[in-house]
Each structure stands twice: as C-alpha cells, then as structure tokens.
Amino acid sequence: MPVEIAGFAQALVRCLDFETVHPKELEDALSHAREPLTLSLVEPCADPPLIRSGTPFEHLAFVQQGVVVPWQYPHAELGAPFLIGEHEFLMKAERWVGSYSAVTEAVIVDIPINTMRSIVEAIPRVRERMHELVMRRLARFYWTSLATTGTPPSRVAAALVSRLALDGADFDQDRRIEVKQKDLARLTTMSRSAVADGLAELVRTGAVQLDEGGQARFGGLILVPDVEHLKNAAFAEVRDRTIVGLVEQARED
C-alpha cells in the first residue's frame, strides 16, 4: 500500500531517530526520494518472521503501530514508534543481521535504503542520532550478557546498568531507574524470588536504594547513589571467577 508523505512524516518524527526533526523538514527530504514507501498491515506470527536474518537488506522497517520482537534472549519488545535496521544501514550491510516477528497486529512502513540515504544527506543530524542510539543499544547488550550469568546480586546489578546504558546514563551519581520486577526477572533469566534476593543484597551493600527513604521494599523505583559502585557489583562474578583465574594461570605459565 503506498504511503502519503505528509502523514508519514508526522508519524516518523515521533521516532527517537527523528525527534529533533520538524515534520516539514522531513517532508522536503522525502519528496526527493524516487522509490515509494510501502505500508503493510502485519498479523502476529512467530514463523515465518517479519524479517529473517541473512535475507537481503533492502529497506529499513518503521513500526508505526504494534509491537515487534527480535529473536534474541532475553527478548526485547520494540513498541511503536520504532525504526528497525539502523545498525545495518550505518554498517552498509548487504543482509539483515537479526530476525524479527510481530507479536501484535502491526503497521509496518518499509523505507528503501536509498530513501534513507536521501534523508540523512539532507538532514545530517539524523545519522548522528542513529549512531548514538545504536551505540547505546550495543552498550545495553554488553551489560545484558552479564545479567544472564553469575550470582543473583551481580546479575541484577548488570541488568540495572543495562537500563542506564540504554539511556546513555551509565555513569555518575544519583541515577534513578524505573523498572518492574518482572522485567528484571526477564533480563536476568531468574525467578522473581531470586531477583528479590539479588536486590536485597545490593541494598545491603549500598549499591542501590529502593525508594526515597532507602527502605528495602521494591515498588518499581530504584535509586543508584553511585553507578561505579553498581558496576563493581555487576562485574564481581566475571572478575572473581574468570579474570582472576586467567591472571593466576598466566603467572604460573
């Protein structure tokens, strides 16, 4: 289904990649594109996926409505408005890296690569913003990898840092994180009781506080007095079990 440029520009500027762009500015950039935008109504489906890893990368996918999930674990839910394909676009990839499925009815607009090139040439700050968002997500994935192994405190700490990294705030003091216990369970692949034990230990060591008064009761708001302290808690397991062992082995050799 063809897409009207004016209406699409209004929708696209709600996406993080375009949040500093005025709709008229985006309309002008889109008007110079030669390839049409295509809109599709997608039904929720696990397989075949909406996007399959290894297929030719010919367009970016803008999730205008609905929720799309990448095939990874722990899973992430990409709710509208969200642009899929920035990483492949910035890396000039020839094929999709990941696979994605719609888990709700979704409205997807395909943006041809050449059209996106026209946009970033006309509005250079769009490319800069894309790069910033991709780097934040890569940072989050780094911390999420630590959140799936180790002791409950180290896993919960890494999951919390991953949330800060996604906002580019994984440094400094007095950070606030709003997160549900079920999301921490998903990120750490642990039960809620194990998450509660991990949080309790982080509270005990002063890495986090669970409300304004420092009470050890989880209500969805976590205060981080010092992110460096929280990172040390996240690194504890890999440092003590892996890095120290490798250093000792090197000394013996």
Side-chain angles (χ1 to χ4, degrees):
M1 181 186 302
V3 177
E4 181 184 351
I5 289 178
F8 178 66
Q10 291 282 350
L12 194 57
V13 294
R14 295 189 297 116
C15 183
L16 288 176
D17 303 80
F18 298 89
E19 63 181 356
T20 64
V21 180
H22 190 276
K24 185 61 170 65
E25 189 177 14
L26 187 54
E27 282 182 39
D28 291 341
L30 286 168
S31 66
H32 292 92
R34 296 182 178 180
E35 299 178 55
L37 303 166
T38 306
L39 181 147
S40 301
L41 179 62
V42 179
E43 296 292 333
C45 182
D47 200 10
L50 172 67
I51 297 168
R52 185 181 293 279
S53 174
T55 56
F57 175 61
E58 299 171 341
H59 63 270
L60 293 85
F62 174 58
V63 184
Q64 187 166 324
Q65 292 181 29
V67 178
V68 172
V69 172
W71 289 14
Q72 64 186 49
Y73 197 75
H75 77 270
E77 296 181 6
L78 312 179
F82 196 90
L83 185 64
I84 302 174
E86 304 108 304
H87 180 268
E88 287 86 350
F89 177 75
L90 293 174
M91 297 301 293
K92 299 181 180 178
E94 295 183 356
R95 297 183 179 277
W96 283 98
V97 173
S99 294
Y100 301 79
S101 283
V103 295
T104 68
E105 188 176 83
V107 174
I108 308 295
V109 179
D110 291 345
I111 307 175
I113 292 175
N114 288 333
T115 299
M116 187 57 70
R117 285 175 182 155
S118 297
I119 292 173
V120 299
E121 288 172 4
I123 315 172
R125 65 183 182 279
V126 171
R127 182 188 294 274
E128 295 170 4
R129 179 60 171 161
M130 277 187 180
H131 186 268
E132 177 187 359
L133 292 173
V134 166
M135 292 306 296
R136 286 185 185 181
R137 290 166 193 151
L138 288 175
R140 184 222 178 194
F141 294 149
Y142 169 82
W143 286 102
T144 299
S145 72
L146 290 176
T148 55
T149 57
T151 63
S154 69
R155 291 165 76 164
V156 172
L160 293 174
V161 176
S162 79
R163 296 299 290 258
L164 292 172
L166 192 57
D167 293 329
D170 56 328
F171 62 94
D172 220 334
Q173 289 81 41
D174 299 323
R175 298 296 192 186
R176 298 163 61 94
I177 305 171
E178 293 186 12
V179 61
K180 297 178 181 178
Q181 191 172 7
K182 69 176 183 179
D183 290 330
L184 288 177
R186 173 177 59 81
L187 287 169
T188 58
T189 66
M190 296 192 301
S191 66
R192 292 197 184 192
S193 62
V195 168
D197 291 342
L199 278 172
E201 179 63 18
L202 293 176
V203 170
R204 188 189 69 79
T205 60
V208 301
Q209 298 173 359
L210 300 189
D211 66 16
E212 297 290 353
Q215 301 297 315
R217 186 174 65 83
F218 186 55
L221 174 64
I222 295 177
L223 308 177
V224 183
D226 189 334
V227 176
E228 193 63 26
H229 188 178
L230 184 62
K231 285 185 175 181
N232 284 337
F235 281 135
E237 190 75 7
V238 67
R239 179 192 62 221
D240 296 344
R241 291 186 59 182
T242 302
I243 305 303
V244 169
L246 291 172
V247 169
E248 291 176 347
Q249 180 179 337
R251 286 174 176 170
E252 291 175 358
D253 293 344

